[in-house]
Amino acid sequence: MMRGEQVGSFVFPRWTNVLRPVLAVALVVVPAYVVVLLAYGASPRTTNVGYQPVQPVPYSHALHAGQLGIDCRYCHNTVEVAAHAALPPTQTCMNCHARIRTTSPKLLPVRESYATGLPIPWVRVHDLPDYVYFNHSAHVRRGVGCVECHGRVDTMEVVTQVHRLSMGWCLDCHRHPEPHLRPPDMVTKMDWVPPGDPETYGRQLRQANNINPSTQCWTCHR
Amino acid sequence: MPRGLIYGAVLLAALALIPLALIARARVTTSGVPRIQLIQDMGRQPKFKTQSANPMFADGRAMRPEVPGTVARGELHEDGAYWAGRTPDGWVMAFPVAVTDQLMRRGQERYDIFCAPCHGLAGYGDGPVAKRADALQEGTWTPPSSYHTDLVRQRPVGFIFNTISNGIRNMPAYGPQIPVADRWAIVAYVRALQRSQDARATNVPPELQRQLR
């Protein structure tokens, strides 16, 4: 070997030949990985579903709405006339709890709120972005049941978000509402099932109640 | 091939699985932390929505309560018979609203929502909440009244309206929870319940009496 060959020239070692096929594979695998990561990681199914905040009072919908069968509207009484389904004032809790479980430590924040007039800091579970103007009354009065968006709240000890509540999810129903419709007087019946085929029955209801959900931008965004 | 490079590649592949595992976990578990919004897009605007909090006020409410001693426009309730079930002469004896089939159905629906939990669907005071309160045996509970006593049957409609609005004995006021029109609908339905539980065969129209046998 001559001395001159060793100076001023670099020879790739033989193993670098492997890098070419490795690089080819990486060019396919890495973009695919990024796509999968974004598609699943940023999907509302991952980011939105399963939100279950700790509430100041361990109020059980399973007991009140499920076991005792109290109608949703007993507490959320604005849902049929307003955009916002109101959280009940402390007075509504005290309708019963002035007489029932009057010394329960779990209910202490309720009694404190009633005595001081300061609101109970309930944590909102189903919270849409501020540029969305969802109207409860428009849906409830046309026969979209509570359960369609909120799930079986009557079986939840702690309320959890079970649906995506994303724009695509809203549009699924706005484009094809039939399987999500029921007679308007059944909206709060969580265990209601349509008689017969949901599709056919939904089509009848849609016709009877003249339901034409809009898919225009301005329906939900102003 | 240098060992270090191979180890590095294996390590990178292993690390790349961690985000996927986190995503998989997020999809099957619940979380007490609000969602992370990667792209904000004005999803949280500095504005106050219904029932939101505003630290500017001592009570933290963005929605402000009525100022004491003031009357909002359209809320001056001068018609005592309709708004209070009472006139200067005493309780209202006849309904100040037209009793229609529609009103009765509305009354039934509202009754089942607001009254039936305690008073029961038929008005005997045996609703699920009353039953549970009895079962707890705490000594602080007084059972709700049955509507099917001579005393309650003879109450004027204005009195029943007032009872719903302002409460009576242990019953709390439902005025803030139930709009006035619905309260009158409920009174109509309570009257219907009372008649249904205190009926004789002769109350049935003659042409339908044969069906009773």
Side-chain angles (χ1 to χ4, degrees):
Chain A
M1 203 178 275
M2 286 183 67
R3 210 190 142 109
E5 277 180 52
Q6 288 191 332
V7 175
S9 74
F10 175 76
V11 179
F12 278 98
R14 186 168 287 277
W15 64 264
T16 51
N17 289 338
V18 184
L19 285 182
R20 273 175 63 156
V22 166
L23 199 68
V25 171
L27 276 176
V28 176
V29 170
V30 170
Y33 174 80
V34 171
V35 166
V36 168
L37 199 68
L38 286 178
Y40 282 88
S43 109
R45 172 74 188 75
T46 309
T47 56
N48 297 9
V49 175
Y51 180 39
Q52 189 187 53
V54 177
Q55 301 289 353
V57 181
Y59 174 85
S60 165
H61 278 82
L63 171 65
H64 292 84
Q67 198 184 322
L68 294 174
I70 300 173
D71 195 283
C72 309
R73 293 166 288 187
Y74 182 94
C75 300
H76 306 291
N77 61 340
T78 65
V79 72
E80 292 165 303
V81 289
H84 181 77
L87 249 84
T90 305
Q91 169 68 53
T92 304
C93 309
M94 293 302 276
N95 280 353
C96 298
H97 287 292
R99 302 278 161 193
I100 306 174
R101 297 281 194 224
T102 50
T103 54
S104 165
K106 289 183 193 167
L107 286 166
L108 188 63
V110 176
R111 291 193 297 271
E112 274 178 353
S113 162
Y114 194 62
T116 60
L118 297 175
I120 304 170
W122 297 107
V123 184
R124 190 167 183 169
V125 182
H126 302 88
D127 198 6
L128 298 174
D130 285 353
Y131 47 75
V132 181
Y133 294 82
F134 177 82
N135 190 316
H136 274 91
S137 69
H139 291 83
V140 169
R141 291 170 79 152
R142 280 167 181 79
V144 179
C146 310
V147 70
E148 298 294 339
C149 303
H150 297 286
R152 285 298 298 268
V153 175
D154 63 327
T155 62
M156 295 181 192
E157 281 296 331
V158 184
V159 174
T160 312
Q161 183 172 336
V162 295
H163 287 297
R164 287 173 281 157
L165 307 190
S166 62
M167 182 166 144
W169 179 84
C170 292
L171 281 172
D172 282 349
C173 186
H174 270 238
R175 289 184 177 131
H176 182 58
E178 284 85 358
H180 306 283
L181 295 177
R182 55 177 71 197
D185 56 338
M186 289 289 160
V187 282
T188 59
K189 301 282 178 288
M190 289 278 172
D191 51 1
W192 180 87
V193 281
D197 178 39
E199 200 66 43
T200 326
Y201 188 63
R203 209 172 302 131
Q204 287 168 9
L205 282 173
R206 187 176 177 178
Q207 227 149 38
N209 297 328
N210 194 22
I211 293 162
N212 298 302
S214 162
T215 48
Q216 304 286 349
C217 308
W218 43 259
T219 306
C220 312
H221 308 293
R222 294 172 192 167
Chain B
M1 198 184 229
R3 279 281 166 91
L5 219 56
I6 297 174
Y7 288 151
V10 171
L11 189 69
L12 202 67
L15 286 177
L17 290 177
I18 292 175
L20 295 180
L22 287 175
I23 289 169
R25 198 189 66 153
R27 285 167 82 93
V28 293
T29 55
T30 58
S31 162
V33 189
R35 70 199 166 112
I36 305 157
Q37 258 189 311
L38 296 176
I39 302 160
Q40 287 285 324
D41 269 348
M42 295 179 78
R44 294 286 166 269
Q45 299 167 14
K47 67 177 181 183
F48 299 108
K49 300 206 280 189
T50 315
Q51 286 193 319
S52 57
N54 182 352
M56 287 279 285
F57 293 104
D59 63 0
R61 290 183 177 94
M63 292 164 72
R64 304 311 305 151
E66 250 168 38
V67 178
T70 61
V71 177
R73 286 177 72 100
E75 289 190 6
L76 182 60
H77 305 147
E78 283 179 302
D79 182 1
Y82 181 69
W83 288 97
R86 201 170 7 199
T87 59
D89 309 328
W91 298 115
V92 171
M93 305 300 281
F95 280 93
V97 291
V99 180
T100 58
D101 185 48
Q102 199 190 354
L103 185 85
M104 201 57 95
R105 282 178 199 286
R106 177 75 182 173
Q108 178 178 29
E109 188 191 54
R110 297 295 118 174
Y111 177 89
D112 290 355
I113 295 171
F114 293 106
C115 316
C118 276
H119 285 284
L121 288 171
Y124 284 98
D126 57 352
V129 170
K131 279 184 182 161
R132 180 173 160 86
D134 275 340
L136 292 174
Q137 293 197 323
E138 290 178 306
T140 47
W141 176 258
T142 315
S145 301
S146 165
Y147 304 143
H148 312 301
T149 60
D150 282 335
L151 180 74
V152 183
R153 278 191 208 111
Q154 282 155 16
R155 294 289 195 205
V157 289
F159 184 91
I160 298 177
F161 177 87
N162 180 66
T163 303
I164 300 172
S165 306
N166 300 315
I168 189 167
R169 292 185 295 276
N170 291 313
M171 178 179 150
Y174 276 80
Q177 221 166 326
I178 313 174
V180 173
D182 286 346
R183 275 178 257 160
W184 281 113
I186 291 171
V187 175
Y189 185 66
V190 167
R191 276 283 185 256
L193 279 179
Q194 288 176 330
R195 284 188 70 175
S196 75
Q197 302 300 307
D198 184 35
R200 287 174 200 10
T202 47
N203 295 129
V204 179
E207 63 272 23
L208 295 173
Q209 277 186 16
R210 294 198 62 165
Q211 292 178 18
L212 290 176
R213 291 183 199 139

